[in-house]
Amino acid sequence: MVAIAVAVMRDLFAIVMLFGIYSLLTAGIFVSLDAVDVAFTEAAVGAGISTILILSTLALTSREEKKSTHSRFLPLLVVLVTGATLVYGTLDMPAFSDPQAPVHQHVAPRYLDQAQQETGVPNIVTAVLASYRSYDTMGEVTVIFTAGIAVMLLLSAFRHREDEAGNLNDLSHHPVLKYVARLMIPFILLFALYVQFHGDYGPGGGFQAGVIFAAGFILYGLVVGIDKTRSMFSDSVLRWLMASGLLLYIGVGVVTLLLGGEFLNYNVLAADQVKGQHWGIFLVELGVGITVTATMIAMFLAFSEVRRPE
Amino acid sequence: MISSHLPVLQVILPLIAAPLCVLLRRSSLLWLLSFSASLGAMVIAWLLLQQAGSSGVISYILGGWAAPWGIEYRIDTLNAYVLLIVTAISSVVLLAAKKSIEQEVPQQHWPMFYASYLLCLTGLLGITATADAFNVFVFLEISSLSSYALISLGRDRRALTASYQYLVMGTIGATFILIGIGLLYMLTGTLNMNDLAQRLPAVAQTKTMLSAFAFLFVGISLKLALFPLHLWLPNAYTYAPSIVSAFLAGTATKVAVYVLLRFIFTVFGADYAFSVLPLAEILMLLGVAAILFASLSAIYQDNIKRLFAYSSVAQLGYITLGISFLSVSGLSATLLHLFNHALMKAALFMALACLLYRQGGVKFSHVKGLGRQMPWTFMAIVIGGLSLVGVPLTVGFISKWYLILAAIEQGHFVLVAIILFGSLLALVYVWRIVEQGFFSASDDHTDVKEAPLSLLLPTWLLVLANIWFGIDTSLTVGVAEHTAHWLLELPAPVMPGATP
């Protein structure tokens, strides 16, 4: 229902809000499917950060969608064909929650049975993300790093000069907002640290923690003033943070190479396998957290400092 | 010890250099770091090709977890060959990059420009080296995002629209690929390509597998700019900075072709892929359409960059046509043209970078009568153009030769005529440039000088490679024939230079 509303409506502001609701609903579905980690990410990224980023973009453009000049026939046809293929594909798929489905029979059982013993991490999702498929996660951090660079490259050309006062997103004249937000920010940051370092045991990890941490600073920027946040994070500080998180992740891999193991084989980091895994996962998650935090703040600042085209 | 880690170092080397670039400022340092990372990657690719040729498939398990639980890199002659193409083009292009970038890209963007370039290289190498289906998607995202950023840096404001257009099409493509991989995982419970190949035959009858294949095919075709899904390509290549056009034209679509080959032949298996869908007919028809329509469009362009971009779409038509024959000579033609077309287009786009450096534009009006002022640049365009046409003693001839051979083997004489007609069309559009350059008098450009040596040398390096590999074909034909046999599961001839 929400998705249909989004497709039909023309008021972009309302669409963004509906997207937030859509993400929260999706997160709810994920929870009911027992995928708590995914739900957590969806709520933090889909409903949280991306809503803020799209809103900052809206501040630069107009609120109403322009009438499309293209014919609507071709897109509709593509969507219908894609949808039909998807439905066709589901006709034969293994039944929902069937324990005999291939997904539950082949690779997953080893993760479920041995992850704790092999990696010492009770949260299997973290074990798979940060150890078994750690190389993919390194790729994902690189994707975020790339996205950050792309946004900074695109928007830095349009940045307004510092003497131009007045900010669109500045809410500092609302006293209630300001005090409530100021009360909340320390707890948001504390919660982010908890998510970062407790990812081994409960849902969470570097991605979610980074986003929440960044959200704290973004909230601060919104209520106290963008320039205050900017004075904490200059462009070069953000660049250093973004690069160092990624380099920390790759660096762990290089160290394992030098110690004689395969790339990102944490076992060689300590004499005891579980201890080595513990260190490896801790360090790469820290790298993820740093890069994600810095990239999110960099994106937010880049968006909010763009000159509004006359 | 190092030699056993080569597969991962191949990808990691440019990946480490990318964040380091963000921290540097000086143009010469940035260039030195990027160039040495790319050159190092090229040496590694060369060593890997030797290893794969002599001792067969090299497997490397990342994180020390055996596949399918962990992620595996598998290097065989097919992807080692593609790795070599990508790194070689990237290195030669970077050799010339410094001057061209200093002129075309604002100074504040240099660090991030080089970082994006290296990230794009990392992405392309990662896609090629991996044997894990999801890992393909992750690195595809890296290469796509960075190429959107690179294209948007063109001086023309239309570069932004071109980049956005590519972003929309590319994202649809990537999503389709992801859906396909997701469906495959649902069916088999694994993401490792080798493991998939073993487990897929058991579920070959399901509709889910058919739709997975359809999603993957369409998604990859979008990235490959297969006609009629090529609409993003001409704008992207036209408005991107010259260095980026040369790099992407030589590498990005080649890697997409590789992914298509990988999924058709080693994951789904040629028997499945060519029987559930009329794949041979689809590839043949679309290939022919690409050759004819894109070559015709190229003739009517007045921007030379756009002209060669349309020509690229046509050349991709030859490449897919080669796959459609499903024969050793057809696949050899495809593999040869991957290498040869990369050489031609990189050489041509580099020559255009020389023109752009002096003239600030590459429309026909910019090059009128320039043949006398910039003789070396124009000779490079002429030789590159002749190679595009397929004149003997150039690489273009070798790939056309194998393609025609494959068509004759199967009695498709109409296709032979179409391939020859395509060459004729190429001759027409190359001639238009020559005519403007040499036989059209203009008084406006008398004070224009030849391009600087740092741009000309790499351009001519590529031009000479066009001739060298047109005469000495032992490397390219050797690898291509070996790999074509291997893809079709026929007994492979021993690769030249390989020690048994």
Coordinates of all heavy atoms in Angstrom, one line a residue, chain A residues 83-152:
Chain A
G83 N 8.0 -8.0 -13.0 CA 7.2 -8.6 -11.9 C 6.7 -9.9 -12.3 O 6.7 -10.9 -11.5
A84 N 6.3 -10.1 -13.6 CA 5.8 -11.4 -14.0 C 6.9 -12.5 -13.9 O 6.7 -13.6 -13.5 CB 5.3 -11.3 -15.4
T85 N 8.1 -12.1 -14.3 CA 9.2 -13.0 -14.2 C 9.5 -13.4 -12.8 O 9.7 -14.6 -12.5 CB 10.5 -12.4 -14.8 OG1 10.2 -11.7 -16.0 CG2 11.5 -13.5 -15.1
L86 N 9.4 -12.4 -11.9 CA 9.6 -12.7 -10.5 C 8.6 -13.7 -9.9 O 8.9 -14.7 -9.3 CB 9.6 -11.5 -9.6 CG 10.9 -10.7 -9.4 CD1 10.7 -9.5 -8.7 CD2 11.9 -11.6 -8.6
V87 N 7.3 -13.4 -10.3 CA 6.2 -14.3 -9.8 C 6.4 -15.7 -10.4 O 6.3 -16.7 -9.7 CB 4.9 -13.7 -10.2 CG1 3.8 -14.7 -9.9 CG2 4.6 -12.4 -9.5
Y88 N 6.8 -15.7 -11.7 CA 7.0 -17.0 -12.4 C 8.1 -17.8 -11.7 O 8.0 -19.0 -11.5 CB 7.4 -16.7 -13.8 CG 7.7 -17.9 -14.7 CD1 6.7 -18.7 -15.2 CD2 9.0 -18.3 -15.0 CE1 7.0 -19.8 -16.0 CE2 9.3 -19.4 -15.7 CZ 8.3 -20.1 -16.2 OH 8.6 -21.2 -17.0
G89 N 9.2 -17.1 -11.3 CA 10.3 -17.7 -10.6 C 9.9 -18.3 -9.2 O 10.5 -19.3 -8.8
T90 N 8.9 -17.7 -8.6 CA 8.5 -18.1 -7.2 C 7.6 -19.4 -7.3 O 7.4 -20.0 -6.3 CB 7.8 -17.1 -6.4 OG1 6.7 -16.6 -7.2 CG2 8.7 -15.9 -6.1
L91 N 7.1 -19.7 -8.5 CA 6.2 -20.8 -8.6 C 6.8 -22.1 -8.1 O 6.2 -22.9 -7.4 CB 5.7 -21.0 -10.0 CG 4.8 -19.9 -10.5 CD1 4.4 -20.2 -12.0 CD2 3.6 -19.8 -9.7
D92 N 8.1 -22.3 -8.4 CA 8.8 -23.5 -8.1 C 9.6 -23.5 -6.9 O 10.4 -24.4 -6.6 CB 9.7 -23.9 -9.3 CG 8.9 -24.8 -10.2 OD1 7.8 -25.1 -9.9 OD2 9.5 -25.1 -11.3
M93 N 9.6 -22.3 -6.2 CA 10.7 -22.2 -5.2 C 10.3 -23.0 -4.0 O 9.2 -23.4 -3.7 CB 10.8 -20.7 -4.8 CG 9.8 -20.2 -3.9 SD 10.2 -18.4 -3.6 CE 9.0 -18.1 -2.3
P94 N 11.4 -23.4 -3.2 CA 11.1 -24.2 -2.0 C 10.1 -23.5 -1.1 O 10.1 -22.3 -1.0 CB 12.5 -24.3 -1.3 CG 13.5 -23.9 -2.4 CD 12.8 -23.0 -3.3
A95 N 9.2 -24.3 -0.4 CA 8.2 -23.7 0.4 C 8.8 -22.9 1.5 O 9.9 -23.2 2.0 CB 7.3 -24.9 1.0
F96 N 8.0 -21.9 2.0 CA 8.5 -21.0 3.0 C 8.7 -21.8 4.3 O 7.9 -22.6 4.7 CB 7.5 -19.9 3.2 CG 7.8 -19.0 4.3 CD1 8.9 -18.1 4.2 CD2 7.1 -18.9 5.5 CE1 9.3 -17.3 5.2 CE2 7.4 -18.1 6.5 CZ 8.5 -17.2 6.4
S97 N 9.8 -21.6 5.0 CA 10.2 -22.2 6.2 C 10.2 -23.7 6.1 O 10.0 -24.4 7.1 CB 9.3 -21.7 7.4 OG 8.1 -22.4 7.3
D98 N 10.5 -24.3 5.0 CA 10.7 -25.7 4.8 C 12.1 -26.1 5.3 O 13.1 -25.6 4.7 CB 10.5 -26.0 3.3 CG 10.8 -27.5 3.0 OD1 11.0 -28.3 4.0 OD2 10.8 -27.9 1.9
P99 N 12.2 -26.9 6.3 CA 13.6 -27.2 6.8 C 14.4 -28.0 5.8 O 15.6 -28.1 5.9 CB 13.3 -28.1 8.1 CG 11.9 -28.5 8.0 CD 11.1 -27.5 7.1
Q100 N 13.7 -28.6 4.8 CA 14.4 -29.4 3.8 C 14.9 -28.5 2.7 O 15.6 -29.0 1.7 CB 13.5 -30.5 3.2 CG 13.2 -31.5 4.2 CD 14.4 -32.2 4.9 OE1 15.3 -32.5 4.2 NE2 14.3 -32.3 6.2
A101 N 14.6 -27.2 2.7 CA 15.0 -26.3 1.6 C 16.6 -26.3 1.5 O 17.2 -26.4 2.5 CB 14.5 -24.9 1.8
P102 N 17.1 -26.2 0.2 CA 18.5 -26.3 0.1 C 19.3 -25.2 0.9 O 20.4 -25.5 1.4 CB 18.7 -26.0 -1.4 CG 17.4 -26.2 -2.1 CD 16.4 -26.0 -1.0
V103 N 18.7 -24.1 1.1 CA 19.3 -23.0 1.9 C 19.7 -23.5 3.3 O 20.7 -23.2 3.9 CB 18.4 -21.8 2.0 CG1 19.1 -20.7 2.8 CG2 18.1 -21.3 0.6
H104 N 18.8 -24.4 3.9 CA 19.0 -24.9 5.2 C 19.9 -26.2 5.3 O 20.2 -26.7 6.3 CB 17.7 -25.1 5.9 CG 16.8 -23.9 5.9 ND1 17.2 -22.8 6.5 CD2 15.6 -23.7 5.4 CE1 16.3 -21.9 6.4 NE2 15.3 -22.4 5.7
Q105 N 20.2 -26.7 4.1 CA 20.8 -28.0 4.1 C 22.3 -28.0 3.8 O 23.1 -28.9 4.1 CB 20.1 -28.9 3.0 CG 18.7 -29.3 3.4 CD 18.7 -30.2 4.6 OE1 19.6 -31.1 4.7 NE2 17.8 -29.9 5.5
H106 N 22.8 -26.9 3.0 CA 24.1 -27.0 2.5 C 25.2 -26.3 3.3 O 25.9 -26.9 4.1 CB 24.1 -26.6 1.0 CG 25.4 -26.7 0.3 ND1 26.1 -27.8 0.4 CD2 26.1 -25.9 -0.5 CE1 27.2 -27.7 -0.3 NE2 27.2 -26.5 -0.9
V107 N 25.2 -25.0 3.1 CA 26.3 -24.2 3.7 C 25.9 -23.8 5.2 O 26.7 -23.8 6.1 CB 26.6 -22.9 2.9 CG1 27.6 -22.1 3.6 CG2 27.1 -23.4 1.5
A108 N 24.6 -23.4 5.3 CA 24.2 -22.8 6.6 C 24.4 -23.7 7.8 O 24.9 -23.2 8.9 CB 22.7 -22.4 6.5
P109 N 24.2 -25.0 7.8 CA 24.3 -25.9 9.0 C 25.7 -25.7 9.6 O 25.8 -25.7 10.8 CB 24.1 -27.3 8.5 CG 23.3 -27.1 7.3 CD 23.7 -25.8 6.6
R110 N 26.8 -25.6 8.8 CA 28.1 -25.5 9.4 C 28.2 -24.2 10.2 O 28.8 -24.2 11.2 CB 29.1 -25.6 8.3 CG 30.4 -24.9 8.7 CD 31.7 -25.7 8.4 NE 32.9 -25.0 8.8 CZ 34.0 -25.0 8.1 NH1 34.1 -25.7 7.0 NH2 35.0 -24.3 8.6
Y111 N 27.6 -23.1 9.6 CA 27.7 -21.9 10.3 C 27.0 -22.0 11.7 O 27.5 -21.6 12.7 CB 26.9 -20.8 9.6 CG 27.6 -20.3 8.3 CD1 26.8 -19.9 7.2 CD2 29.0 -20.3 8.1 CE1 27.4 -19.4 6.0 CE2 29.6 -19.9 6.9 CZ 28.8 -19.5 5.9 OH 29.3 -19.0 4.7
L112 N 25.8 -22.7 11.6 CA 25.0 -22.8 12.9 C 25.7 -23.7 13.9 O 25.7 -23.4 15.1 CB 23.6 -23.4 12.5 CG 22.7 -22.5 11.7 CD1 21.4 -23.2 11.3 CD2 22.4 -21.2 12.4
D113 N 26.3 -24.8 13.4 CA 26.8 -25.8 14.4 C 28.2 -25.4 14.9 O 28.5 -25.6 16.0 CB 27.0 -27.1 13.7 CG 25.6 -27.7 13.3 OD1 24.6 -27.2 13.9 OD2 25.5 -28.6 12.5
Q114 N 29.0 -24.8 14.0 CA 30.4 -24.6 14.4 C 30.9 -23.2 14.6 O 32.0 -23.0 15.0 CB 31.3 -25.3 13.3 CG 30.8 -26.7 13.1 CD 31.8 -27.6 12.4 OE1 32.9 -27.1 12.1 NE2 31.5 -28.8 12.2
A115 N 30.0 -22.2 14.2 CA 30.5 -20.8 14.2 C 31.1 -20.5 15.6 O 32.1 -19.9 15.7 CB 29.4 -19.9 13.8
Q116 N 30.3 -20.8 16.6 CA 30.7 -20.4 18.0 C 32.1 -21.1 18.4 O 32.9 -20.4 18.9 CB 29.6 -20.8 19.0 CG 30.1 -20.5 20.4 CD 29.0 -20.0 21.3 OE1 27.9 -20.2 21.0 NE2 29.4 -19.2 22.3
Q117 N 32.2 -22.3 18.0 CA 33.4 -23.1 18.3 C 34.6 -22.5 17.5 O 35.7 -22.3 18.0 CB 33.2 -24.5 18.0 CG 34.2 -25.5 18.6 CD 34.0 -26.8 17.9 OE1 32.9 -27.1 17.4 NE2 35.0 -27.6 18.0
E118 N 34.3 -22.2 16.2 CA 35.5 -21.8 15.4 C 35.9 -20.4 15.5 O 37.0 -20.0 15.3 CB 35.1 -22.1 13.9 CG 35.1 -23.6 13.5 CD 34.8 -23.8 12.1 OE1 34.1 -23.0 11.5 OE2 35.1 -24.9 11.6
T119 N 34.9 -19.5 15.8 CA 35.2 -18.1 15.9 C 35.0 -17.5 17.3 O 35.5 -16.4 17.6 CB 34.3 -17.3 15.0 OG1 32.9 -17.4 15.4 CG2 34.4 -17.8 13.5
G120 N 34.3 -18.2 18.2 CA 34.1 -17.8 19.5 C 33.1 -16.7 19.6 O 33.0 -16.0 20.6
V121 N 32.3 -16.5 18.5 CA 31.3 -15.4 18.5 C 29.9 -16.0 18.6 O 29.5 -16.8 17.7 CB 31.4 -14.6 17.2 CG1 30.3 -13.6 17.2 CG2 32.8 -13.9 17.1
P122 N 29.1 -15.7 19.6 CA 27.8 -16.3 19.8 C 26.8 -15.8 18.7 O 26.0 -16.6 18.3 CB 27.3 -15.8 21.1 CG 28.5 -15.2 21.8 CD 29.5 -14.8 20.8
N123 N 27.0 -14.6 18.2 CA 26.1 -14.1 17.2 C 26.6 -14.6 15.8 O 27.6 -14.1 15.3 CB 26.0 -12.5 17.2 CG 25.0 -12.0 16.2 OD1 24.4 -12.8 15.4 ND2 25.0 -10.7 16.1
I124 N 25.8 -15.5 15.2 CA 26.3 -16.2 14.0 C 26.3 -15.2 12.9 O 27.2 -15.3 12.0 CB 25.4 -17.4 13.7 CG1 25.6 -18.4 14.8 CG2 25.7 -18.0 12.4 CD1 24.4 -19.3 14.9
V125 N 25.4 -14.2 12.9 CA 25.4 -13.2 11.8 C 26.8 -12.5 11.7 O 27.4 -12.3 10.7 CB 24.3 -12.2 11.9 CG1 24.3 -11.2 10.8 CG2 22.9 -13.0 11.8
T126 N 27.2 -12.1 12.9 CA 28.5 -11.4 13.0 C 29.6 -12.4 12.6 O 30.6 -12.0 11.8 CB 28.8 -10.9 14.4 OG1 27.7 -10.1 14.8 CG2 30.1 -10.2 14.5
A127 N 29.6 -13.6 13.0 CA 30.6 -14.6 12.6 C 30.7 -14.7 11.0 O 31.8 -14.7 10.5 CB 30.3 -15.9 13.2
V128 N 29.5 -14.8 10.4 CA 29.5 -14.9 8.9 C 30.0 -13.6 8.3 O 30.9 -13.7 7.4 CB 28.1 -15.3 8.4 CG1 28.1 -15.3 6.9 CG2 27.7 -16.6 8.9
L129 N 29.5 -12.5 8.7 CA 29.9 -11.2 8.1 C 31.3 -10.9 8.3 O 32.0 -10.5 7.4 CB 29.0 -10.1 8.8 CG 27.7 -9.8 8.2 CD1 27.1 -8.5 8.9 CD2 27.8 -9.6 6.7
A130 N 31.8 -11.1 9.5 CA 33.1 -10.5 9.8 C 34.2 -11.6 9.7 O 35.4 -11.3 9.8 CB 33.2 -9.9 11.2
S131 N 33.8 -12.9 9.6 CA 34.9 -13.9 9.5 C 34.8 -14.7 8.3 O 35.6 -14.7 7.4 CB 35.0 -14.7 10.8 OG 36.1 -15.6 10.7
Y132 N 33.7 -15.5 8.2 CA 33.5 -16.5 7.0 C 33.5 -15.7 5.7 O 34.2 -16.1 4.8 CB 32.3 -17.3 7.2 CG 32.3 -18.3 8.2 CD1 31.6 -18.1 9.4 CD2 33.0 -19.5 8.1 CE1 31.6 -19.1 10.4 CE2 33.1 -20.4 9.1 CZ 32.4 -20.2 10.3 OH 32.4 -21.2 11.3
R133 N 32.7 -14.6 5.7 CA 32.6 -13.8 4.4 C 33.2 -12.4 4.7 O 32.6 -11.5 4.2 CB 31.2 -13.8 3.9 CG 30.6 -15.2 3.6 CD 29.3 -15.1 2.9 NE 29.4 -14.5 1.6 CZ 29.7 -15.1 0.5 NH1 29.9 -16.4 0.4 NH2 29.7 -14.4 -0.6
S134 N 34.2 -12.4 5.4 CA 34.8 -11.1 5.8 C 35.2 -10.3 4.5 O 35.2 -9.1 4.5 CB 36.0 -11.3 6.7 OG 36.7 -10.2 6.9
Y135 N 35.7 -11.0 3.5 CA 36.1 -10.3 2.3 C 35.0 -9.5 1.6 O 35.2 -8.4 1.1 CB 36.7 -11.3 1.4 CG 37.5 -10.7 0.2 CD1 38.7 -10.1 0.5 CD2 37.1 -10.8 -1.1 CE1 39.5 -9.5 -0.5 CE2 37.8 -10.2 -2.1 CZ 39.0 -9.6 -1.8 OH 39.7 -9.0 -2.8
D136 N 33.8 -10.1 1.7 CA 32.6 -9.4 1.1 C 32.4 -8.1 1.9 O 32.1 -7.1 1.4 CB 31.4 -10.2 1.3 CG 31.1 -11.0 0.0 OD1 31.7 -10.7 -1.0 OD2 30.2 -11.9 0.0
T137 N 32.5 -8.2 3.3 CA 32.3 -7.1 4.1 C 33.3 -6.0 3.8 O 33.0 -4.8 3.8 CB 32.3 -7.5 5.6 OG1 31.5 -8.6 5.7 CG2 31.9 -6.4 6.5
M138 N 34.6 -6.4 3.6 CA 35.6 -5.4 3.2 C 35.1 -4.7 1.9 O 35.3 -3.5 1.7 CB 36.9 -6.1 3.0 CG 38.0 -5.1 2.7 SD 39.5 -5.9 2.2 CE 39.2 -6.3 0.5
G139 N 34.6 -5.5 1.0 CA 34.1 -4.9 -0.3 C 33.0 -3.9 0.0 O 32.9 -2.8 -0.6
E140 N 32.1 -4.3 1.0 CA 31.0 -3.3 1.3 C 31.5 -2.0 1.9 O 31.0 -1.0 1.6 CB 30.0 -4.0 2.3 CG 29.2 -5.2 1.7 CD 28.3 -4.9 0.6 OE1 28.1 -3.7 0.4 OE2 27.7 -5.8 0.1
V141 N 32.5 -2.1 2.7 CA 33.1 -0.9 3.3 C 33.7 -0.1 2.2 O 33.5 1.2 2.1 CB 34.2 -1.2 4.3 CG1 34.7 0.1 4.9 CG2 33.6 -2.1 5.4
T142 N 34.3 -0.8 1.2 CA 34.8 0.0 0.1 C 33.7 0.6 -0.7 O 33.9 1.8 -1.2 CB 35.6 -1.0 -0.8 OG1 36.4 -1.8 0.0 CG2 36.5 -0.3 -1.8
V143 N 32.6 0.0 -0.9 CA 31.4 0.6 -1.6 C 31.0 1.9 -0.9 O 30.8 2.9 -1.5 CB 30.2 -0.4 -1.6 CG1 29.0 0.3 -2.1 CG2 30.6 -1.6 -2.5
I144 N 31.0 1.8 0.5 CA 30.6 3.0 1.2 C 31.6 4.1 1.0 O 31.2 5.3 0.8 CB 30.3 2.7 2.7 CG1 29.1 1.8 2.8 CG2 30.2 3.9 3.5 CD1 28.8 1.3 4.2
F145 N 32.9 3.7 1.1 CA 33.9 4.7 0.9 C 33.8 5.3 -0.5 O 33.9 6.6 -0.6 CB 35.3 3.9 1.1 CG 36.5 4.8 0.9 CD1 36.9 5.7 1.8 CD2 37.2 4.6 -0.3 CE1 38.1 6.4 1.6 CE2 38.4 5.4 -0.5 CZ 38.8 6.3 0.4
T146 N 33.6 4.5 -1.5 CA 33.4 5.0 -2.8 C 32.3 6.0 -3.0 O 32.4 7.0 -3.6 CB 33.2 3.8 -3.8 OG1 34.1 2.8 -3.5 CG2 33.4 4.3 -5.2
A147 N 31.2 5.6 -2.3 CA 30.0 6.4 -2.4 C 30.3 7.8 -1.8 O 29.9 8.9 -2.3 CB 28.8 5.8 -1.7
G148 N 31.0 7.7 -0.6 CA 31.3 9.0 0.1 C 32.2 9.9 -0.8 O 31.9 11.1 -1.0
I149 N 33.2 9.3 -1.5 CA 34.1 10.0 -2.4 C 33.2 10.6 -3.5 O 33.4 11.8 -3.9 CB 35.2 9.1 -2.9 CG1 36.2 8.8 -1.9 CG2 35.8 9.7 -4.1 CD1 37.4 8.1 -2.4
A150 N 32.3 9.8 -4.1 CA 31.5 10.3 -5.2 C 30.7 11.5 -4.8 O 30.7 12.5 -5.5 CB 30.6 9.1 -5.7
V151 N 30.1 11.4 -3.6 CA 29.2 12.5 -3.2 C 30.1 13.8 -3.0 O 29.8 14.9 -3.4 CB 28.5 12.2 -1.9 CG1 27.8 13.4 -1.3 CG2 27.4 11.1 -2.2
M152 N 31.3 13.6 -2.3 CA 32.1 14.8 -2.1 C 32.6 15.4 -3.4 O 32.7 16.6 -3.6 CB 33.3 14.4 -1.2 CG 32.9 14.1 0.3 SD 34.2 13.3 1.2 CE 35.0 14.7 2.0

